[in-house]
Amino acid sequence: MSSEQTPPPGRLDNVEARIDYYPTHEIAGFRLRPGKSFPFGATLVPGGINFSIFSSHAVSCTLVLFSKGAPTPMAEIPFPDSFRIGHVWSMMVFDLDCETIEYGYRMDGPFEPAAGHRFDRSKILLDPYAKAVGGRDVWGVVPDWNNVFPYRGRLVFEDFDWEDDRPLEVPIEELVIYELHVRSFTRHPSAGARHPGTFAAMRAKIPYLKELGINCVELMPVYEFDEFENSRRRPDTGEMLYNYWGYSTVNFFAPKAGFAATGRLGMQVDEFKNLVKELHKSGIEVILDVVFNHTAEGNERGPTFSFRGLDNKTYYMLTPEGYYFNFSGCGNTLNCNNPVVRGIVLDCLRYWASEYHIDGFRFDLASILGRDPWGAPLPNPPLLESLAFDPVLGKCKLIAEAWDAGGLYQVGSFPAFGRWAEWNGKFRDDVRRFLKGDPGMVGALAQRLQGSPDLYGWNGRGPTASINFVTCHDGFTLYDLFAYNQKHNEANGEDNRDGDNDSHSWNCGWEGECDDPGINNLRRRLIRNALAILMTSQGIPMILMGDEFGRSQRGNNNTYCQDNELNWLDWRLAESNTDLLRFARKMVAFRRAHPVLRQRHHLRNHDWIGSGYPDITWHGTRAWEPDWSAGSRVLAFLLCGRHAQEGRSCDDYIYVAMNSHYDALPFELPKLPVGFNWHVAVNTSMSSPQDIFTPGSEPLLGGQQEFLVGGYSVVILVGREKI
Amino acid sequence: MPFSAQLAVVDGVAKVTLKGELDASVAGQFKETIEQAAAEKPRRLVLYFNELEFLASAGLRVLIFAKQKMGINVDIYVIGSQGPVLATLEMSGFHHSVYLQDTYGDD
């Protein structure tokens, strides 16, 4: 061998030539050796695959191998007793073609529900650590209900060509979040997608998202769930109702194949990673909505396909009688503060962050993650602490839906460990009530506008703890918020019993669609008002998919089961509601142009840098005299731009006047420093294009002393130095 | 049509002509061809897909391998892909990583 061919000392020229990975056993014609206990799951090793699975109560375990899609196993390999260390069975199997096999496990153990055990050797179980799942490869294809192995573990390669991509690490205060459902976003024919409802189709819509100005998408569940879980037909129409939103997990590590145009080819991992990579190229972060509060196995009557059959007592919270606690409202509750379950949650999130370059996570019903195995809230939940201090997740956004279905409501008090942000449900409720003209809301509104210091100031969390939203997937769309007084959920087949009954909505005088131009103008104004308040509030704004151009769910405030136009985004609205879309785009641009709207720390309500103006001041129809009375429906505030970013940036003065009285009211304007003038940025009582102006081109206000703010209107002025 | 992968290196351009169905059973053959091409240290890799009928996940893996094996300074051209092969490249997003063309300039 020439010197040129000799590898450097300590290096092999063939990394696959590991002398310690050779078979020592043979069972059923397969060459084996004892495996590595860690990592759990199926891992490619030189010449074979390492399988590792945990169960603390099973007495034996068998690896079951299938050829892809085959109805019966190609092999069953029992783990020799000597292959178990502690509660972990592990085995290396050589000469397997990882491209063409699927795998699962049979676990043997007691079936004693009262003691918490529900082992069933007849079931072939999905590995909770499987990185891809076969069996539901194409959305909506009715499964073979007799399939002995409905959800099949698959292996994936980790060779994706990320080039130089990595999580963007946009400072959280800079985010404008857009919540969307992958299938809904492009499934409607008007989307013009070649592969509707898929990751690939969403990738083609990135230019739209970029033009809207958002810099973060929050994806409703994209890991493997079964749209046929609890599927049923509407008694009146026969229409199929699905588990459409996907808030019911089959597997935490696998992207949903049915959301991939390449799902039938088993390339969903590549397709989703490409979506993330392309979003990052456009400066858009990706937050995943993760559901660790329960699984798709339901209660005692639910199916057994994974956790229940592997180790029921470990994975689920059980009553002393062995029944399932139901803090999720979905039949079972994952036992998140059991150390083993905690481990799987941590491993899962680390995997998404490192392998998929995910930028953050929103935790569905996150308060459950703070309960002990018997359901009691913990003062310092170890799982939440572990997530907050995990090194891999160190730059990830962590966002809690800070309540659960068991009555635990922790908005403002979620154990944050200096890291966690929260969906601020109080922002939603208070802003809605102010918008529709409820009296006595200005005090609460003032808190919401400042990033809710009443909720997040006492423990030093700052406005970045507050994810502000007026609408989200749960509840009315923004259009419906001002078109319906009542929910209209009959299409869900539950006699309109499901969904929120306290939406703080207002139909403006007519329930549903109408031809009255006055009502329709008012509705459109209220939509603008909501967007204006959302975008000028401290904290992190979140927009629901389609709210930027008036998407309606026809009054349905709980479309969890609807695979139809109630959920699919109708892109024709972007044409018919160009005025709303224009307003939304420019409102996002306004926020992004003004750092004083994106403070990392709470405003102090005094002048702490000597600018002559406090960082924020409050006003009413008289300058400097806010009306905090119980009957008040008006509020204005002035931000001093010299306090932007702790005084490090110099921004404009921003004055926001909000009038939820039905009459127009004159607002006396606070005086600016000598040499400064007011310019009109937004006036929602004007029609497009006079309702909003591009930052930098706002017209000079004629009279600088007073502004007539229309009924149910918001006005935003910017004060800047005369040129 | 049985799978085949033919390599020719001309003026620093490695050209690989693929025919048939590229699935798991033949992906290793394609990978060997890519390794041979990489050993020539070409400045460009041109893959002719005109007669490629099917591209499975295993084939996509080799394309990713080719991209990373060749390094960032070697552009990869995929020529004449059509039908399901083109759809697979586009759906998976791999078309962002290569130059997709109907023909190659000096052919």
Side-chain angles (χ1 to χ4, degrees):
Chain A
M1 186 182 285
S2 70
S3 60
E4 192 177 274
Q5 294 170 312
T6 304
R11 300 271 296 274
L12 294 169
D13 58 356
N14 180 359
V15 292
E16 295 182 2
R18 283 193 57 163
I19 197 166
D20 54 344
Y21 282 63
Y22 58 90
T24 55
H25 295 62
E26 184 167 329
I27 297 177
F30 287 87
R31 301 192 305 149
L32 319 167
R33 71 176 282 124
K36 305 284 185 190
S37 299
F38 284 106
F40 290 153
T43 309
L44 296 174
V45 295
I49 300 169
N50 185 71
F51 294 93
S52 178
I53 184 79
F54 157 87
S55 177
S56 61
H57 295 98
V59 296
S60 70
C61 177
T62 299
L63 174 67
V64 187
L65 298 173
F66 285 74
S67 287
K68 256 184 192 171
T72 54
M74 62 182 256
E76 301 208 17
I77 308 173
F79 285 73
D81 287 344
S82 59
F83 284 22
R84 179 180 58 77
I85 302 291
H87 298 310
V88 180
W89 281 267
S90 56
M91 174 162 64
M92 283 186 201
V93 184
F94 293 89
D95 312 319
L96 289 178
D97 181 357
C98 56
E99 286 274 347
T100 58
I101 65 151
E102 296 170 328
Y103 75 100
Y105 297 99
R106 290 189 199 275
M107 285 288 176
D108 208 354
F111 184 84
E112 297 170 4
H117 304 311
R118 292 177 179 268
F119 290 100
D120 181 351
R121 204 185 137 63
S122 72
K123 303 288 186 187
I124 304 172
L125 305 168
L126 175 65
D127 180 3
Y129 277 81
K131 303 304 188 297
V133 176
R136 294 287 192 275
D137 299 341
V138 179
W139 175 279
V141 173
V142 179
D144 173 6
W145 299 111
N146 296 317
N147 192 330
V148 296
F149 189 31
Y151 308 105
R152 298 167 167 235
R154 288 181 180 171
L155 287 102
V156 301
F157 288 92
E158 297 177 347
D159 54 359
F160 183 74
D161 187 23
W162 284 104
E163 299 176 289
D164 293 328
D165 181 81
R166 66 176 182 132
L168 296 180
E169 298 178 11
V170 175
I172 190 167
E173 66 270 20
E174 302 293 327
L175 291 188
V176 179
I177 301 173
Y178 187 81
E179 189 198 27
L180 69 86
H181 185 276
V182 167
R183 180 170 170 81
S184 296
F185 194 52
T186 61
R187 176 57 187 83
H188 196 281
S190 62
R194 193 182 298 179
H195 308 287
T198 64
F199 300 128
M202 184 179 160
R203 201 174 59 225
K205 291 290 187 189
I206 291 174
Y208 169 81
L209 295 170
K210 199 171 178 185
E211 194 176 357
L212 182 58
I214 60 96
N215 56 3
C216 178
V217 287
E218 182 172 310
L219 305 181
M220 290 165 68
V222 296
Y223 38 71
E224 196 61 54
F225 64 88
D226 185 357
E227 64 270 26
F228 285 98
E229 181 189 347
N230 293 324
S231 60
R232 62 201 187 279
R233 292 197 177 275
R234 275 182 67 176
D236 50 345
T237 65
E239 189 177 5
M240 181 66 92
L241 301 174
Y242 295 90
N243 167 34
Y244 181 80
W245 282 351
Y247 286 87
S248 191
T249 306
V250 166
N251 178 276
F252 295 112
F253 290 80
K256 179 156 180 59
F259 279 175
T262 56
R264 63 191 161 76
L265 301 171
M267 297 183 191
Q268 59 267 32
V269 169
D270 292 285
E271 189 175 322
F272 184 54
K273 286 179 177 177
N274 253 304
L275 171 61
V276 175
K277 183 179 169 184
E278 293 301 314
L279 283 164
H280 282 175
K281 277 185 187 171
S282 292
I284 298 172
E285 290 200 335
V286 180
I287 289 176
L288 296 189
D289 196 338
V290 290
V291 186
F292 288 113
N293 54 75
H294 72 285
T295 77
E297 291 187 312
N299 63 13
E300 297 79 19
R301 294 183 292 279
T304 296
F305 59 78
S306 186
F307 307 94
R308 192 201 309 275
L310 289 167
D311 199 344
N312 187 56
K313 196 169 181 175
T314 294
Y315 285 112
Y316 292 115
M317 288 189 193
L318 301 175
T319 67
E321 300 78 24
Y323 294 103
Y324 294 91
F325 277 122
N326 187 16
F327 297 115
S328 66
C330 298
N332 64 50
T333 309
L334 206 63
N335 192 11
C336 285
N337 281 303
N338 174 290
V340 172
V341 185
R342 207 159 68 217
I344 196 171
V345 173
L346 269 169
D347 289 343
C348 172
L349 296 177
R350 287 170 179 157
Y351 177 73
W352 285 105
S354 59
E355 192 59 32
Y356 285 83
H357 295 192
I358 295 301
D359 301 276
F361 302 95
R362 177 268 188 190
F363 295 74
D364 186 61
L365 299 183
S367 291
I368 284 179
L369 278 56
R371 290 182 184 267
D372 72 14
W374 300 274
L378 291 159
N380 289 297
L383 174 57
L384 302 181
E385 182 183 38
S386 301
L387 293 170
F389 294 104
D390 186 81
V392 177
L393 305 176
K395 299 283 188 182
C396 279
K397 281 80 179 177
L398 302 175
I399 301 168
E401 184 185 34
W403 53 84
D404 68 21
L408 193 55
Y409 188 80
Q410 296 179 304
V411 172
S413 62
F414 190 81
F417 299 101
R419 284 288 311 281
W420 286 79
E422 298 171 9
W423 267 26
N424 188 344
K426 291 188 176 178
F427 182 97
R428 174 197 58 207
D429 296 343
D430 291 341
V431 170
R432 285 181 177 193
R433 293 185 62 191
F434 175 80
L435 285 166
K436 74 189 182 77
D438 281 4
M441 293 308 300
V442 292
L445 180 67
Q447 294 294 324
R448 305 303 150 243
L449 292 164
Q450 296 180 82
S452 298
D454 57 336
L455 301 175
Y456 306 116
W458 62 276
N459 54 5
R461 293 172 68 185
T464 56
S466 179
I467 307 298
N468 298 331
F469 62 101
V470 181
T471 54
C472 64
H473 69 272
D474 267 326
F476 283 131
T477 67
L478 192 54
Y479 178 87
D480 288 354
L481 188 65
F482 303 117
Y484 296 91
N485 280 351
Q486 308 296 332
K487 65 183 182 183
H488 296 270
N489 297 358
E490 292 79 5
N492 299 345
E494 298 181 48
D495 299 323
N496 206 29
R497 292 189 307 271
D498 62 308
D500 189 12
N501 291 312
D502 197 16
S503 295
H504 306 298
S505 63
W506 176 38
N507 67 15
C508 298
W510 185 267
E511 189 74 353
E513 293 297 300
C514 77
D515 297 329
D516 186 313
I519 289 176
N520 285 328
N521 281 338
L522 176 56
R523 288 174 175 173
R524 300 170 91 82
R525 203 181 323 148
L526 289 166
I527 290 171
R528 288 178 172 87
N529 293 353
L531 289 169
I533 290 174
L534 181 63
M535 288 299 149
T536 53
S537 293
Q538 304 295 332
I540 318 305
M542 184 178 79
I543 303 169
L544 173 63
M545 174 192 83
D547 277 355
E548 70 274 23
F549 51 63
R551 183 173 80 91
S552 173
Q553 292 173 176
R554 296 180 218 151
N556 190 321
N557 75 354
N558 187 32
T559 56
Y560 72 100
C561 56
Q562 303 291 337
D563 186 15
N564 52 43
E565 296 201 359
L566 287 182
N567 272 318
W568 301 345
L569 183 56
D570 184 347
W571 290 85
R572 292 172 300 186
L573 292 170
E575 308 293 327
S576 56
N577 291 331
T578 50
D579 57 333
L580 287 182
L581 179 56
R582 176 182 177 276
F583 185 88
R585 282 175 175 156
K586 290 194 182 296
M587 207 60 239
V588 173
F590 183 83
R591 179 178 182 84
R592 296 191 69 176
H594 291 288
V596 74
L597 299 172
R598 309 190 304 269
Q599 303 281 40
R600 177 166 271 274
H601 301 287
H602 281 302
L603 300 162
R604 304 181 202 178
N605 285 255
H606 65 87
D607 177 12
W608 48 272
I609 62 168
S611 68
Y613 288 77
D615 49 10
I616 186 168
T617 50
W618 301 97
H619 311 268
T621 52
R622 300 282 307 262
W624 312 101
E625 294 180 21
D627 179 2
W628 302 116
S629 70
S632 173
R633 293 182 174 88
V634 297
L635 183 66
F637 66 92
L638 170 66
L639 294 169
C640 168
R642 288 186 57 191
H643 288 82
Q645 296 179 319
E646 323 303 289
R648 296 189 307 276
S649 291
C650 191
D651 198 354
D652 296 328
Y653 291 85
I654 293 178
Y655 172 79
V656 181
M658 295 157 284
N659 178 15
S660 281
H661 198 277
Y662 58 84
D663 265 342
L665 295 170
F667 279 62
E668 181 190 8
L669 301 179
K671 275 198 168 61
L672 288 168
V674 175
F676 282 67
N677 277 328
W678 287 119
H679 299 250
V680 183
V682 172
N683 183 353
T684 63
S685 63
M686 301 294 285
S687 54
S688 184
Q690 303 299 314
D691 55 344
I692 188 165
F693 296 89
T694 303
S697 67
E698 303 91 341
L700 181 68
L701 179 61
Q704 291 278 311
Q705 284 75 42
E706 187 178 271
F707 198 105
L708 185 67
V709 180
Y712 294 114
S713 295
V714 172
V715 164
I716 304 174
L717 307 178
V718 291
R720 61 172 65 110
E721 206 162 7
K722 295 175 198 168
I723 299 172
Chain B
M1 183 189 300
F3 177 78
S4 68
Q6 299 287 336
L7 169 67
V9 182
V10 181
D11 295 335
V13 178
K15 299 182 176 182
V16 179
T17 303
L18 300 164
K19 294 181 181 176
E21 298 191 349
L22 177 46
D23 59 19
S25 67
V26 295
Q29 192 181 331
F30 180 33
K31 182 167 176 275
E32 281 178 19
T33 308
I34 292 296
E35 286 173 332
Q36 290 167 14
E40 299 289 332
K41 301 193 185 312
R43 58 186 168 82
R44 184 172 289 177
L45 175 65
V46 183
L47 302 171
Y48 291 92
F49 276 22
N50 306 62
E51 295 182 71
L52 191 64
E53 296 163 355
F54 176 71
L55 177 65
S57 171
L60 187 74
R61 301 263 75 77
V62 183
L63 290 178
I64 294 168
F65 169 77
K67 180 88 176 10
Q68 295 173 353
K69 180 83 176 175
M70 293 291 175
I72 57 173
N73 295 322
V74 178
D75 291 333
I76 298 181
Y77 288 73
V78 174
I79 309 301
S81 57
Q82 53 198 317
V85 172
L86 177 60
T88 301
L89 291 173
E90 289 179 341
M91 290 186 297
S92 66
F94 189 74
H95 65 302
H96 290 297
S97 299
V98 297
Y99 295 97
L100 277 186
Q101 294 183 182
D102 292 336
T103 58
Y104 184 67
D106 60 4
D107 290 326

